[in-house]
Amino acid sequence: MKKKFNEMTSEELIKTQKSLKTVTYLFGVILLLLFGLNIFLIANKGFSASNVIPIALLPIFILNMNTLKEIKKELESREQQS
């Protein structure tokens, strides 16, 4: 079972933040490329079912960004306490 952020040590949080940040930004770049490719394909060949894929993947990107914000908030609250 996954630990909650308030149960993790600061070192674990920082490690999780770094890995999640890398994965999220890479995913964001790939998502932007997919959106660009879809615009190109729609302009040339019309709409197809595969054009929905980037839209379907967008919630994953949003969830990862929200998780990064939560980790940052938890780390900031720990800095203020100490």
Side-chain angles (χ1 to χ4, degrees), residues 2 5 8 10-22 67-68 71:
K2 200 173 174 181
F5 296 135
M8 296 172 77
S10 294
E11 292 81 22
E12 289 175 324
L13 276 175
I14 292 170
K15 183 179 178 184
T16 304
Q17 182 185 31
K18 285 181 182 180
S19 62
L20 187 61
K21 188 182 286 188
T22 304
T67 303
L68 279 172
I71 291 173

Side-chain angles (χ1 to χ4, degrees), residues 2 7 10 15 20-21 23 32 34 38 40 42 46-47 49-51 55-57 60 62 66 68 71 74 77-78:
K2 200 173 174 181
E7 297 173 353
S10 294
K15 183 179 178 184
L20 187 61
K21 188 182 286 188
V23 169
L32 282 174
L34 278 174
N38 274 335
F40 176 75
I42 288 172
F47 187 80
S50 65
N51 296 114
I55 298 167
L57 293 175
I60 296 171
I62 294 169
N66 288 337
L68 279 172
I71 291 173
E74 178 67 27
S77 70
R78 289 183 185 191

Side-chain angles (χ1 to χ4, degrees), residues 28-40:
V29 169
I30 291 171
L31 211 57
L32 282 174
L33 289 173
L34 278 174
F35 274 117
L37 181 62
N38 274 335
I39 291 169
F40 176 75

